[in-house]
Amino acid sequence: MTTPTAPPTTPTTLTQQGPAIEITGPLRERYDEILTAEAIAFLTELHHRFGHRRHDRLADRMRRRFEIGNGHDPQFRDDTAHIRADENWRVAGAGPGLEDRRVEITGPTDPKMTINALNSGARVWLADQEDATSPTWKNVIEGQLSLRDAIRGELSFTSPQGKEYRVTAERTPTIVMRPRGWHLTEKHIRFIDRTGRPMAASGSLVDFGLYFFHNAQALIDAGRGPYFYIAKLESADEAKLWDDIFTFAEEYAGIPHGTIRATVLIETLPAAFEMEEILYELRDHCAGLNAGRWDYIFSIIKTYRGRGARFVLPDRSEVTMTVPFMRAYTELLVKTCHKRGAFAIGGMSAFIPNRRDPEVTQRALEKVAADKKREAGDGFDGTWVAHPDLIPAAQAEFDAVLGERPNQVDRQRDDVQVRAEDLLDLQIGRPITARGVRDNVSVAIRYLEAWLQGLGAVAIDNLMEDAATAEISRSQVWQWIHQDRLTEEGDRITVEYVEGLIAEVLAEAPRREGDRFDDAAAIFREVALQEEFPAFLTLGAYNRYLDA
């Protein structure tokens, strides 16, 4: 990597001229290895060049949400029809180490989880700084340290009980790092623009910038590369912004154009209508798309929360991958990817094994196998799991379809024809039950309590919960209240009804010194019971409740 050309700053000192970065979080042991003057200079350049465009794209999201809320359903774009009609362009495709992605494991980047992921036997590890990470300052910076050490073969971890963890696998997964979405900020880093105006740094640019700056060359030297999962995109314009960031980063580091590879999660309803355009804008850097199923369901609820009864979904457990709108979305994703030479990666099964309960484990394995069999049969090239014990079941289903082939990108899905109305067919024909309402309240509060304690991925009732599943839970409760829904048992879902459930959940919670259940309940009330609907539950919770 070439020496940075931007003027360096120290982590805690502002320059008097030009844009600058200020670190406001505490500088703990080894943080100076990540927050170097050179890395800060790179972050400064990223924010100076691209920060204003980020704000423009977030404003576009608000306008689009307002239009849909007022009855203007999303459509496939007329102004980009020529891109979809042009049969000649293709994306860059797999980089070194991404040719076979049949099973990918996801998880946060703390040392223990990093080591477990690298020892798991998966082909790819999604190193998650987004929904599976509670963005405490400790998790953000020490996650970067874990990744830095792992990439250099230097990572080890000793638990409080004295157990040592090390990477022992001969073949470790290819790392694909997921930075935070555009909507999230990093409150421990401030960007000061040329006018002297301070603002919170972009979580996306901080996560991407620090990881790329410290690891791009080391990854290339190891025969792989700087690879990223891009979360929560809503448009091709947002994809274009990321593509420009990638191009600038490559030039800054002195590495060839196209070295970076990105896989975009299609996990918002607007993005489902622009899959092909997203691939096109990222074509020099794109490896594929992923069906981010849980955030996609949340996006639909959020987008149509005020549009009437026909857009109200039943219990979360009833919104499966086989309901009409989810089938349309996933089949369109596979068709679009393979048409353009891109990988189609399947979504996360929430079921997880319980090593103390063989019956629960057996049910989890059966459900995961059925889910992955469907994905492999539909043409997906790989899939996600959240636990190492699920890898054999998932891999068996993809092995049965792929055999010795690394992927099935050459399989075209010309039989798939998806219309705009298919993506909006939300009729499932199942009820809302009292159990479903209570489960949503319970899961959301228990997850938020863990999130406030610094845990972003949490096993609750034998399901793996993260920020996306908590978003489904709280947004369903909000919509059911505001659409005046009844449970199957005849109870009207009101604020008072839900307050009663909150009281039950708090009474049953395993209270202990230092727990955050009262704060978690307060957050839930703010995001599920108020008149206004916050776009993301993590926004207010991060600024008001989350400790450093």
Side-chain angles (χ1 to χ4, degrees):
M1 183 177 292
T2 59
T3 302
T5 57
T9 66
T10 64
T12 56
T13 303
L14 299 183
T15 59
Q16 297 301 310
Q17 298 179 350
I21 286 285
E22 179 184 26
I23 306 299
T24 62
L27 297 179
R28 301 184 177 110
E29 184 180 1
R30 295 191 65 200
Y31 282 27
D32 59 339
E33 296 178 34
I34 297 299
L35 299 170
T36 63
E38 296 79 12
I40 295 299
F42 181 54
L43 290 187
T44 303
E45 283 296 304
L46 289 176
H47 283 83
H48 173 60
R49 291 170 182 267
F50 303 106
H52 67 287
R53 288 176 59 187
R54 166 182 171 261
H55 288 291
D56 290 344
R57 300 291 76 79
L58 292 176
D60 289 343
R61 289 183 180 184
M62 293 179 65
R63 284 191 290 270
R64 187 181 304 111
R65 203 169 297 133
F66 178 81
E67 291 171 357
I68 296 174
N70 281 277
H72 299 280
D73 290 334
Q75 299 289 332
F76 296 106
R77 291 170 56 175
D78 291 333
D79 63 324
T80 55
H82 63 285
I83 293 175
R84 299 193 299 275
D86 184 350
E87 300 289 338
N88 296 317
W89 62 270
R90 297 289 185 274
V91 301
L98 285 179
E99 299 87 354
D100 188 329
R101 305 177 63 171
R102 67 188 69 196
V103 181
E104 304 188 358
I105 193 167
T106 72
T109 55
D110 61 273
K112 181 181 176 181
M113 295 302 294
T114 296
I115 292 169
N116 286 345
L118 294 178
N119 285 333
S120 69
R123 301 300 178 105
V124 169
W125 173 40
L126 187 159
D128 196 6
Q129 291 284 84
E130 204 231 0
D131 275 355
T133 290
S134 173
T136 63
W137 179 236
K138 180 179 187 292
N139 286 345
V140 168
I141 301 302
E142 294 182 21
Q144 293 280 352
L145 281 167
S146 293
L147 292 167
R148 179 208 172 280
D149 290 351
I151 288 165
R152 291 160 177 79
E154 300 170 358
L155 182 63
S156 63
F157 172 71
T158 302
S159 72
Q161 295 76 31
K163 183 176 180 180
E164 292 190 5
Y165 294 83
R166 294 185 180 277
V167 178
T168 57
E170 292 185 10
R171 178 192 174 280
T172 58
T174 298
I175 298 173
V176 182
M177 187 267 205
R178 179 162 71 166
R180 282 168 283 182
W182 280 132
H183 62 290
L184 292 169
T185 59
E186 175 47 64
K187 66 181 180 181
H188 301 93
I189 298 178
R190 292 198 305 171
F191 172 64
I192 291 82
D193 67 15
R194 288 193 182 279
T195 70
R197 180 181 59 175
M199 61 193 76
S202 161
S204 297
L205 295 180
V206 168
D207 294 345
F208 164 79
L210 293 176
Y211 179 77
F212 175 86
F213 183 86
H214 288 294
N215 301 304
Q217 192 61 56
L219 288 162
I220 294 167
D221 293 345
R224 296 180 181 179
Y227 304 144
F228 299 91
Y229 260 110
I230 303 303
K232 310 249 185 331
L233 287 196
E234 293 197 12
S235 70
D237 290 338
E238 294 183 22
K240 173 60 175 171
L241 173 55
W242 270 114
D243 193 71
D244 290 345
I245 290 167
F246 295 156
T247 296
F248 167 74
E250 289 165 339
E251 292 173 352
Y252 193 97
I255 61 178
H257 179 74
T259 300
I260 293 173
R261 288 290 194 275
T263 302
V264 176
L265 291 110
I266 301 299
E267 53 186 354
T268 67
L269 181 63
F273 286 87
E274 298 189 27
M275 292 188 203
E276 216 155 345
E277 291 87 342
I278 287 170
L279 289 175
Y280 181 80
E281 294 294 357
L282 277 164
R283 60 194 180 278
D284 289 350
H285 295 106
C286 194
L289 303 178
N290 169 275
R293 60 178 71 172
W294 305 122
D295 265 306
Y296 188 73
I297 294 169
F298 162 56
S299 176
I300 285 178
I301 299 166
K302 175 169 65 174
T303 302
Y304 280 95
R305 65 187 183 276
R307 287 279 300 272
R310 75 184 183 93
F311 295 105
V312 175
L313 296 176
D315 290 0
R316 175 183 139 184
S317 61
E318 298 289 349
V319 188
T320 67
M321 297 306 296
T322 59
V323 301
F325 74 94
M326 295 300 285
R327 287 294 293 160
Y329 147 71
T330 54
E331 292 206 310
L332 179 61
L333 188 147
V334 173
K335 177 180 181 176
T336 302
C337 283
H338 289 183
K339 176 182 177 183
R340 302 303 181 181
F343 281 58
I345 306 300
M348 176 72 74
S349 293
F351 305 101
I352 57 172
N354 184 332
R355 291 171 177 170
R356 292 173 300 207
D357 191 331
E359 289 187 15
V360 168
T361 295
Q362 185 59 34
R363 287 198 300 271
L365 292 173
E366 290 172 356
K367 289 176 179 178
V368 168
D371 183 54
K372 305 315 176 187
K373 181 176 182 178
R374 175 191 50 77
E375 287 183 333
D378 285 347
F380 280 96
D381 303 288
T383 192
W384 283 5
V385 297
H387 194 286
D389 289 354
L390 299 178
I391 291 173
Q395 180 153 330
E397 299 303 332
F398 275 84
D399 287 348
V401 172
L402 296 178
E404 297 298 318
R405 296 178 297 160
N407 56 71
Q408 52 183 334
V409 172
D410 59 348
R411 180 184 169 191
Q412 302 298 297
R413 289 297 310 273
D414 295 331
D415 56 308
V416 171
Q417 301 297 324
V418 174
R419 305 164 300 168
E421 50 265 40
D422 297 324
L423 293 171
L424 301 176
D425 181 6
L426 306 188
Q427 300 304 301
I428 298 178
R430 301 293 297 164
I432 301 166
T433 68
R435 170 70 179 272
V437 184
R438 193 186 193 286
D439 284 349
N440 276 357
V441 175
S442 175
V443 165
I445 290 176
R446 286 189 286 166
Y447 174 78
L448 283 166
E449 197 277 334
W451 187 85
L452 292 170
Q453 300 279 5
L455 299 175
V458 187
I460 298 176
D461 298 336
N462 300 310
L463 297 175
M464 183 59 72
E465 307 286 350
D466 66 8
T469 55
E471 290 281 26
I472 296 173
S473 296
R474 70 94 180 186
S475 61
Q476 282 198 309
V477 170
W478 190 98
Q479 187 183 41
W480 291 339
I481 292 171
H482 285 79
Q483 294 299 324
D484 200 26
R485 297 293 91 194
L486 297 175
T487 67
E488 184 180 33
E489 295 82 0
D491 295 313
R492 190 170 302 280
I493 306 172
T494 64
V495 170
E496 293 73 22
Y497 178 80
V498 176
E499 282 285 6
L501 297 177
I502 294 173
E504 291 178 14
V505 170
L506 292 178
E508 295 173 2
R511 306 305 293 262
R512 61 199 182 281
E513 184 177 355
D515 74 52
R516 303 291 300 274
F517 281 106
D518 291 335
D519 288 336
I523 295 169
F524 181 77
R525 290 186 178 98
E526 291 172 6
V527 299
L529 302 186
Q530 300 297 319
E531 192 64 29
E532 295 298 318
F533 182 89
F536 294 95
L537 66 80
T538 48
L539 291 176
Y542 177 62
N543 290 318
R544 293 180 56 192
Y545 294 96
L546 194 63
D547 296 333

